[in-house]
Amino acid sequence: MNSMPTVSAIIVAYDSEELIVRCVRAALDAGVSNVYVWDNSPKLGSVETLNDFEDQRLVVLSDGKNHGFGGGINRVLERGVTGDLVLLVNPDCFVTTDVVQELSGLFDDQRTGIAAPRMMYENGAPGIAGGPFPSLAKEFFAKLRVDEILPAAVKRQLLALFSSKRNGFSLADSMKPGAPASADWVSGFCMMIRKSVLAELDGFDEDYFLYFEDVDICRRASLAGYDVKLARNFAALHLESTSTTAVGKSSHYYKGLSVYLAKHGTFTQTRMARLLGLTK
């Protein structure tokens, strides 16, 4: 009988004072062995907010610089993290014992390298928690804000059209309860990774600052022979805006897309992305 793997959580914070205590408490209550918080803000607001948090399982770190999402994770890993599995949790995500146990159980299969739960917003609406590798068509529709004028049912049908060539998993599938499924990528809002896989991949690619680093590490894990899975019967609460105009929301997003295409896209995809105004 296999012993239960130990799990430590990493939270990368930036001006997250309003939510950080709740996020940390949820992770500890969910049964992780340690929580490491990396504060990316020069103001060190999360560090100060957690000064009075009396729990020896919490470790708060910072060097006063903003290294981006993946860079913050890497700096925690460099300082040493306990456990077999690493749970990455956004400050606006709140995990439960069920989520942590279900994700941990997927790693009984030694082929599993990365896993995530479904995403649920505060109003009960599902979010996109994974899917096929990026499609220029999807990104173009998002930039045009087509989703703002579509009824919810039509929007779901549109998302179902974007599916993986390898396993058939679609963006819409990530929003529906069901058995665990293989996806091309899963969202870094709540992502569990085998610590040995992180070491094998040399952590996150710091060429990404805020977006697409989760897609990138899933792709690299797959190329290394590991499975990426979505535990669809369990959802973690995410307080991000429920507006699905989301995917085109910032210059950081398109910078991340540019980096991703430069590393993983074809020459034709890169050219088309420029012509469509998705990258520069």
Side-chain angles (χ1 to χ4, degrees):
M1 183 175 177
N2 294 333
S3 59
M4 284 292 292
T6 53
V7 181
S8 284
I10 297 178
I11 303 166
V12 176
Y14 185 91
D15 293 347
S16 307
E17 294 85 343
E18 291 184 12
L19 296 172
I20 194 65
V21 172
R22 180 181 171 189
C23 179
V24 169
R25 176 51 62 198
L28 290 171
D29 289 347
V32 303
S33 58
N34 290 95
V35 173
Y36 300 85
V37 175
W38 179 271
D39 192 348
N40 257 336
S41 174
K43 295 187 293 184
L44 301 182
S46 294
V47 171
E48 294 177 3
T49 300
L50 292 168
N51 272 342
D52 298 326
F53 196 100
E54 296 182 358
D55 195 308
Q56 293 184 346
R57 295 173 293 170
L58 173 65
V59 180
V60 185
L61 301 163
S62 182
D63 62 7
K65 299 176 183 177
N66 188 356
H67 300 280
F69 178 72
I73 293 166
N74 287 347
R75 276 151 187 78
V76 175
L77 294 172
E78 288 165 2
R79 286 160 174 77
V81 172
T82 62
D84 308 298
L85 303 172
V86 177
L87 179 66
L88 309 178
V89 189
N90 278 5
D92 58 355
C93 171
F94 311 106
V95 295
T96 62
T97 301
D98 286 344
V99 166
V100 173
Q101 290 182 348
E102 176 67 11
L103 293 180
S104 300
L106 293 177
F107 289 85
D108 289 344
D109 183 343
Q110 292 302 308
R111 295 171 299 180
T112 303
I114 300 177
R118 279 190 304 116
M119 183 189 299
M120 188 68 68
Y121 293 124
E122 198 169 23
N123 66 357
I128 295 174
F133 289 127
S135 155
L136 293 186
K138 175 187 118 10
E139 301 301 338
F140 185 59
F141 283 135
K143 184 146 189 165
L144 293 178
R145 298 188 174 181
V146 171
D147 59 313
E148 292 185 17
I149 60 175
L150 294 177
V154 177
K155 194 182 304 182
R156 286 193 295 270
Q157 291 175 355
L158 180 63
L159 290 175
L161 296 177
F162 300 108
S163 61
S164 169
K165 294 178 181 178
R166 295 188 309 137
N167 52 47
F169 192 81
S170 73
L171 294 170
D173 289 330
S174 80
M175 304 170 75
K176 299 182 293 189
S182 294
D184 287 352
W185 66 273
V186 291
S187 174
F189 94 104
C190 181
M191 172 191 283
M192 188 174 285
I193 308 182
R194 199 182 295 276
K195 192 168 72 173
S196 59
V197 172
L198 278 167
E200 182 178 338
L201 299 177
D202 293 324
F204 279 77
D205 187 335
E206 294 186 31
D207 287 345
Y208 301 90
F209 184 76
L210 191 58
Y211 292 96
F212 287 92
E213 59 274 279
D214 48 3
V215 183
D216 174 88
I217 202 164
C218 287
R219 185 161 199 146
R220 290 190 287 126
S222 294
L223 290 172
Y226 297 100
D227 289 340
V228 176
K229 296 179 179 176
L230 190 72
R232 296 189 298 157
N233 273 337
F234 294 84
L237 178 63
H238 192 205
L239 297 191
E240 182 187 55
S241 168
T242 57
S243 169
T244 52
T245 57
V247 282
K249 57 191 167 188
S250 78
S251 59
H252 287 306
Y253 182 89
Y254 290 107
K255 172 62 175 174
L257 178 60
S258 298
V259 173
Y260 178 84
L261 289 175
K263 291 176 180 289
H264 303 295
T266 65
F267 175 78
T268 301
Q269 287 174 324
T270 304
R271 287 287 302 274
M272 283 298 298
R274 289 198 188 99
L275 290 172
L276 294 172
L278 299 174
T279 60
K280 294 182 180 180

